[in-house]
Amino acid sequence: DIDMSAAGVLGLDVGNTCCTMAVMRHGTVQLIANEQGSRSTPTTVAFADGETLLGEAAAAQAARNPKLTMSDLLLMLGRDFDDPVVQAARSRWGFLTSAAEKDGAVSVAVPGGKTHTAVRLLSLVVGGLRGAADSFCGAPVREVVLATPAHLAPSRADALLEAARGGGMRVKLALPSPLAVALLRVAEIEAAAAGGDGAGADAAGAGGGAAGGGG
């Protein structure tokens, strides 16, 4: 097995609701917890009191700051503002969206009279996850094997890769989520055969995150 942590390679599943990340270490798949100790991180960004909040910190204050708390980032990614999926979702969003002048993509209002694209917002989430991975591995992690939803259109998959790069990651490989799940199962079986403790539970958890990464 490749020791992905030593090689500086992160496995990352970006879902519309949450993200999960893992490394292969000593023959076991190990899920990486965020700063709050959770193995899944909300795919959420917020702006409050001059700060940019990510993940659980962003989700925790969403009810009192709906106009500046952005979710459904994967749903918006690579879609035009007038896309029926976007228009249907807008009714549940507290944040303000519009069509970007340049290309008609979804544009999200942020403080200072500015706007961000979904790619930019998602890149902030990836950057925060990368920081947690750095702490877990004890060394900078800059390469990622990215799990992508199987149904993602090519243009939206390209936007996801752009977001990963914007978060400071070099995309080593992009795999459809079902394939990523299958490879995790192979790692689990091989680690179990080699007597690797804890591989089953962590690989099962990582597989669940990849399978749920729709949008």
Side-chain angles (χ1 to χ4, degrees):
D1 289 342
I2 298 174
D3 187 338
M4 290 177 68
S5 62
V9 181
L10 176 72
L12 176 61
D13 172 33
V14 178
N16 192 51
T17 303
C18 64
C19 302
T20 307
M21 51 186 172
V23 291
M24 180 72 77
R25 234 182 197 180
H26 313 305
T28 67
V29 177
Q30 297 184 359
L31 295 182
I32 300 175
N34 59 26
E35 292 180 354
Q36 291 75 29
S38 175
R39 291 180 172 186
S40 65
T41 298
T43 313
T44 307
V45 176
F47 300 89
D49 301 323
E51 291 187 86
T52 301
L53 305 177
L54 306 171
E56 291 191 22
Q61 54 81 75
R64 64 178 183 272
N65 184 27
K67 287 189 176 182
L68 293 175
T69 302
M70 295 84 185
S71 56
D72 276 345
L73 304 184
L74 192 62
L75 182 148
M76 290 187 282
L77 196 70
R79 283 191 165 113
D80 290 339
F81 176 74
D82 60 2
D83 187 299
V85 173
V86 172
Q87 291 303 311
R90 289 184 70 217
S91 63
R92 65 174 181 262
W93 295 342
F95 54 92
L96 302 178
T97 55
S98 61
E101 292 184 6
K102 183 174 67 173
D103 56 9
V106 182
S107 183
V108 182
V110 298
K114 300 178 182 179
T115 60
H116 280 348
T117 64
V119 168
R120 172 58 180 155
L121 293 170
L122 193 55
S123 72
L124 295 175
V125 174
V126 173
L129 293 169
R130 190 196 72 204
D134 288 352
S135 297
F136 180 86
C137 295
V141 177
R142 294 296 176 266
E143 291 192 313
V144 63
V145 175
L146 192 64
T148 64
H151 62 273
L152 213 60
S155 60
R156 299 186 63 218
D158 288 344
L160 181 55
L161 297 181
E162 183 182 347
R165 290 191 290 266
M169 303 299 295
R170 293 188 294 272
V171 180
K172 190 176 183 69
L173 188 64
L175 300 172
S177 289
L179 179 57
V181 171
L183 291 177
L184 282 170
R185 296 305 184 203
V186 170
E188 176 186 358
I189 292 167
E190 289 182 347
D197 293 335
D202 273 3

